[in-house]
Amino acid sequence: MGRKINAYRRGSLDRWTGRQDLRSGLAQRWYQRIKTVDLSSDMGALLNTIVLLGFPCDQGVYRNQGRIGAKEGPDAIRAILGNLPIHLETNFAVVDGGDVYCEDQDLEGAQMSLADAVEQICMHHGFPVLLGGGHEMTWGHYQGLRRVLSGAIGIINIDAHFDLRVPAEGKGSSGTGFFQIAEHVQSMGEPFYYLALGIQEMSNTADLFKEASARGVEVVLARDMQQTNQQSAILERIQGFAARVDQLYLTIDLDAFASPYAPGVSAPAYNGIVPDGFLMHVLDTILKTPHLCAVDIAELNPRFDQDNRTARLAAELIYRTVAARSSMP
């Protein structure tokens, strides 16, 4: 048995719909195979599964003066995922673990509940894939991982922003997650392992670059990810970073991508990275790392999306995650 998680609701099949192809089982779609679980009781159902967990919260975005609406992100992602075809005949082990909510603007309480939910998933040998929601979920996600996993946790963040802001009046936001993690790691006397991919100079102050340097953050700028002559070096950096840690946590902020591909985010970037073949190769390289322990997708804001472009991008990132993890030995 698990334990009660505050502000949590179990998964529901009502959120999973799609078209029905009147053919063999090979024509199935996600909505026809997905199962739902209750993280406070269905512990046996988590073993060796990918557990989708929503964090419909944008209180951190609001505090960070971004465009609110990301709390609608998890269900927008589910709506696209539900209709995707399944190409895994026997190894489709994905469950919907439901959502952790932010009630009464209590972001700190929501982050603690999120940590409780992630702890439950990891303790019972599930693989958490979190659906945002604002990037404030990083702090809660990390705390949950930390409670269960041993050794150094390295974080790869695909993002236009460092998210190393100092919490205003002690209150975190979508822009403070990595500062909070760094402070926690420092208080434990441990190294801070953080690799940021896709950072934009125009989206971060000189002070934030200075803070990143002082914290030992490894940085790959967005402009370098767009240069073909940098591709081998970037892949080597990712592999070298992964080799130095015991656990690897991947977080993807959709505002890293150029706004034609990701208009529905809290802070759009007209010159962000392009989700081209190289980016997908980078993603697959990370996803196939044996000690990858968790993934999350942040900042989908359906209120500003166009033709579900951003939601479809988020869904493809999750689709690739499931395919990569399902093929692991």
Side-chain angles (χ1 to χ4, degrees):
M1 289 292 291
R3 67 170 186 268
K4 184 178 183 298
I5 302 170
N6 292 330
Y8 166 73
R9 297 178 199 166
R10 67 162 295 157
S12 170
L13 288 178
D14 291 341
R15 298 171 173 177
W16 293 89
T17 60
R19 65 178 295 173
Q20 183 171 357
D21 297 295
L22 300 177
R23 302 192 63 174
S24 70
L26 294 180
Q28 284 191 321
R29 299 175 184 272
W30 278 46
Y31 82 95
Q32 294 169 303
R33 294 274 294 278
I34 195 92
K35 297 179 180 178
T36 62
V37 297
D38 186 333
L39 297 181
S40 62
S41 61
D42 299 337
M43 299 299 98
L46 304 181
L47 180 65
N48 298 327
T49 63
I50 293 171
V51 183
L52 304 179
L53 176 66
F55 188 59
C57 170
D58 55 14
Q59 179 62 23
V61 175
Y62 172 78
R63 292 182 185 181
N64 202 33
Q65 302 178 38
R67 306 193 298 184
I68 61 171
K71 64 184 178 183
E72 300 162 16
D75 277 349
I77 296 174
R78 288 183 177 104
I80 301 298
L81 286 175
N83 203 40
L84 293 183
I86 294 174
H87 291 276
L88 302 164
E89 293 185 35
T90 60
N91 202 22
F92 183 77
V94 185
V95 298
D96 185 352
D99 297 281
V100 173
Y101 291 84
C102 180
E103 298 179 335
D104 301 321
Q105 302 179 348
D106 180 13
L107 175 58
E108 289 70 27
Q111 289 169 323
M112 188 60 64
S113 294
L114 186 64
D116 291 341
V118 170
E119 179 185 12
Q120 291 286 76
I121 294 169
C122 294
M123 185 182 301
H124 294 88
H125 307 289
F127 184 93
V129 175
L130 272 55
L131 317 178
H135 217 173
E136 59 265 31
M137 72 178 167
T138 298
W139 176 225
H141 195 170
Y142 173 82
Q143 290 182 86
L145 296 174
R146 224 6 236 257
R147 293 177 190 173
V148 180
L149 304 178
S150 59
I153 300 176
I155 308 174
I156 296 180
N157 180 29
I158 300 177
D159 199 338
H161 307 89
F162 285 117
D163 290 348
L164 282 167
R165 296 179 182 275
V166 179
E169 300 179 351
K171 290 188 173 184
S173 73
S174 61
T176 66
F178 291 94
F179 179 88
Q180 291 169 287
I181 294 171
E183 289 288 286
H184 173 77
V185 169
Q186 182 179 7
S187 72
M188 302 293 288
E190 300 171 359
F192 178 45
Y193 293 104
Y194 176 22
L195 170 60
L197 304 177
I199 293 295
Q200 294 272 6
E201 289 177 301
M202 65 183 295
S203 299
N204 299 272
T205 64
D207 183 65
L208 286 171
F209 273 93
K210 183 178 179 181
E211 176 74 13
S213 178
R215 299 278 186 180
V217 177
E218 298 188 41
V219 182
V220 176
L221 297 175
R223 66 166 182 258
D224 291 331
M225 295 192 71
Q226 297 162 359
Q227 303 297 319
T228 56
N229 63 355
Q230 296 290 322
Q231 292 180 358
S232 295
I234 290 171
L235 289 170
E236 288 176 6
R237 291 191 69 177
I238 292 169
Q239 292 164 342
F241 178 84
R244 292 194 295 275
V245 298
D246 301 294
Q247 310 285 347
L248 191 64
Y249 158 33
L250 171 65
T251 177
I252 304 173
D253 190 323
L254 293 166
D255 71 18
F257 297 99
S259 54
Y261 303 92
V265 294
S266 301
Y270 79 93
N271 62 342
I273 58 179
V274 173
D276 57 9
F278 174 64
L279 187 280
M280 293 306 172
H281 184 47
V282 166
L283 180 66
D284 289 344
T285 298
I286 298 169
L287 293 174
K288 292 178 181 177
T289 303
H291 53 288
L292 183 72
C293 64
V295 174
D296 63 41
I297 311 291
E299 303 281 356
L300 170 60
N301 188 332
R303 298 183 188 182
F304 297 95
D305 210 359
Q306 299 172 23
D307 301 323
N308 293 318
R309 284 183 224 164
T310 321
R312 291 183 184 280
L313 173 58
E316 178 171 359
L317 300 178
I318 295 167
Y319 188 93
R320 283 179 171 268
T321 301
V322 171
R325 303 311 295 177
S326 298
S327 66
M328 298 292 288

